[in-house]
Amino acid sequence: MNHSNEKNKNGFTLAELLIVVAIIAVLVAISIPIFNKQLEKAR
């Protein structure tokens, strides 16, 4: 149990990193179609 507490002090755990990456991936996936629509409107 003490080992996990030491990891948390150092920074992100692997689980937290995976969650952050997943959130960013979802945001990018949502924003790409919106961005493409804006480009077509500009044309």
Side-chain angles (χ1 to χ4, degrees):
M1 287 296 179
N2 289 338
H3 292 293
S4 63
N5 288 337
E6 288 173 7
K7 282 183 183 177
N8 284 336
K9 289 177 186 175
N10 290 337
F12 289 110
T13 60
L14 186 60
E16 287 170 337
L17 262 176
L18 287 174
I19 291 169
V20 171
V21 170
I23 292 171
I24 292 172
V26 169
L27 290 175
V28 169
I30 292 170
S31 64
I32 285 173
I34 294 172
F35 186 69
N36 284 339
K37 286 179 184 177
Q38 294 297 330
L39 280 180
E40 289 188 7
K41 281 183 183 177
R43 291 174 189 167

